[in-house]
Amino acid sequence: MLSLATAGFAINFWAWALLSPLGPLFKDSLGITAFDQALLVAVPVVVGSLGRIPVGALTDRFGGRVMFPVISALTIVPVLFLGLPGHGSLAALLAGGFFLGLGGTAFAVGVPFVTAWFPPERRGLAIGIFGAGMGGTAISALTTVQLVNLGGLATPFMVTAIVLAVYSIVAALLLRDAPGRVVPTEPVSRRLVATMKLPVTWQASWLYAVAFGGYVAFSVYLPAYLRATYGLTQTDAAGRMAGFVLLAVVMRPVGGWLSDRFGPARVLIAVFAVVTAGAAVQAWSPVLMPTGTIAFLAMAAALGAGSGAVFALVALLAPGKMVGSVTGVVGAAGGLGGFLPPLVMGALYGAFGSYALGLAALAVVAAATLAFTATIARRSLRGPVEDRHV
């Protein structure tokens, strides 16, 4: 079940990220502005992030056995639209991108589905392995342009649609919800209100907005930063960004495993300490080799591990019948948290010609999150479920 869920997450994220690698191509072919290009990339991400809130609540009600094939099948529609008639104008691309956001909601399906299959002491690693499915965005980055070069603009969309269709059928035939899964009976609206009242919802949202949001921000903005600060070529900068992303993806299950061993609070304290130090060092624009490279790789490892640790915390503290609802809100916070930092970095660079203030701001935010984790969040875990860790 964990393998099927992870595959579904990766495939849907692959579809979710199809427009990003093609942004420069659409910019040239349609004559759109840089802002239009950024909007084109942002729309599916924002919709996919916010859409996790209702999808998480629906997963609590209907289970992953229903929701995984449904979300995967529905995502085929915007993928085919974008591949066939939907890439001829900016308006069509934005409309297709809006519905393409469905693919990004798969995360809110998988976390409650996987959580229900594992006992508390093993959920951290399980959720971390599932979370590595975010590497589906790397599949898109590595294959989309190459498929266009091989067979034309429609090719990556056709290939992805076929993979989604196959997964939808396999998931419908093989997925099973965990025995004894608690099915809530309250209406979705009432459960969402109850979710918002849980302290873990807001605590984990803050932590995930910084951890996963930081990963998203760097994966989006790192090439531009490296080119502006160190004069790297586009190819070299993209290669270094790929290394950052790969390390973060690999470290996500490690963060979950460490949370099982030592508790998510201790892992998150270490994570935000590393991010604080790395951002503070990089704010001085040190030489790229070795200082800058070490700083960025340390932050990549920490942000990946932190993303896994946050959902280990959710799996421990959220009531069983509300894991999906909590995951939806927290996942939305993480997705949205990745788009504010690039805007801030770009504005500060435009005003001062330097990224130093932006990285210094990251260090301050990480330090504040470290203090929050060491006090309020850690106190939340002082209970029977984690007495052995804190």
Side-chain angles (χ1 to χ4, degrees):
M1 294 301 107
L2 175 58
S3 298
L4 284 170
T6 304
F9 180 30
I11 292 167
N12 277 277
F13 256 43
W14 174 9
W16 188 41
L18 279 172
L19 288 179
S20 181
L22 298 176
L25 186 152
F26 291 130
K27 184 176 185 294
D28 294 336
S29 63
L30 299 178
I32 61 178
T33 65
F35 176 80
D36 291 335
Q37 180 185 342
L39 183 64
L40 179 63
V41 173
V43 164
V45 176
V46 172
V47 173
S49 299
L50 293 176
R52 293 173 187 176
I53 297 175
V55 168
L58 289 170
T59 302
D60 281 338
R61 176 66 180 85
F62 297 106
R65 181 178 183 274
V66 171
M67 293 299 293
F68 255 127
V70 166
I71 292 296
S72 302
L74 289 176
T75 303
I76 295 172
V77 177
V79 169
L80 288 177
F81 172 78
L82 288 166
L84 296 174
H87 57 261
S89 69
L90 177 61
L93 283 170
L94 290 174
F98 181 90
F99 291 101
L100 190 65
L102 278 170
T105 67
F107 179 74
V109 177
V111 171
F113 175 81
V114 171
T115 296
W117 273 102
F118 290 86
E121 65 273 12
R122 296 178 62 194
R123 286 175 182 166
L125 177 59
I127 296 299
I129 292 172
F130 168 76
M134 67 186 187
T137 57
I139 298 175
S140 180
L142 293 171
T143 64
T144 301
V145 175
Q146 285 79 357
L147 287 171
V148 170
N149 293 335
L150 285 173
L153 189 56
T155 304
F157 296 96
M158 298 300 103
V159 171
T160 308
I162 292 170
V163 175
L164 281 167
V166 171
Y167 177 77
S168 300
I169 295 170
V170 171
L173 293 174
L174 300 181
L175 277 182
R176 296 289 181 271
D177 288 312
R181 185 180 74 88
V182 180
V183 179
T185 56
E186 303 89 348
V188 170
S189 58
R190 186 178 301 175
R191 283 187 282 120
L192 286 175
V193 170
T195 298
M196 297 299 182
K197 294 180 179 179
L198 291 173
V200 65
T201 302
W202 299 106
Q203 293 172 11
S205 292
W206 178 355
L207 298 172
Y208 201 58
V210 178
F212 186 70
Y215 157 77
V216 171
F218 276 124
S219 65
V220 169
Y221 207 73
L222 191 57
Y225 171 85
L226 292 173
R227 292 184 69 188
T229 305
Y230 296 105
L232 300 185
T233 65
Q234 180 68 41
T235 302
D236 194 6
R240 291 174 186 270
M241 183 272 284
F244 182 98
V245 169
L246 179 61
L247 181 57
V249 169
V250 169
M251 286 300 295
R252 185 156 182 159
V254 174
W257 174 75
L258 289 172
S259 297
D260 288 340
R261 293 288 304 273
F262 305 106
R266 289 180 177 175
V267 174
L268 289 166
I269 287 171
V271 160
F272 293 119
V274 171
V275 175
T276 300
V281 168
Q282 197 56 39
W284 296 96
S285 300
V287 293
L288 186 57
M289 290 295 293
T291 310
T293 299
I294 292 173
F296 274 117
L297 290 180
M299 286 191 286
L303 293 169
S307 298
V310 169
F311 279 98
L313 183 147
V314 169
L316 287 171
L317 294 184
K321 64 180 181 179
M322 297 176 69
V323 172
S325 300
V326 175
T327 297
V329 176
V330 175
L336 295 176
F339 283 88
L340 180 59
L343 295 176
V344 172
M345 293 282 280
L348 289 173
Y349 185 78
F352 301 101
S354 171
Y355 288 111
L357 285 177
L359 286 158
L362 173 61
V364 171
V365 170
T369 308
L370 169 61
F372 169 77
T373 307
T375 54
I376 298 173
R378 191 167 186 177
R379 280 200 298 271
S380 298
L381 284 165
R382 292 190 183 278
V385 75
E386 265 222 325
D387 279 340
R388 66 186 185 278
H389 291 317
V390 296

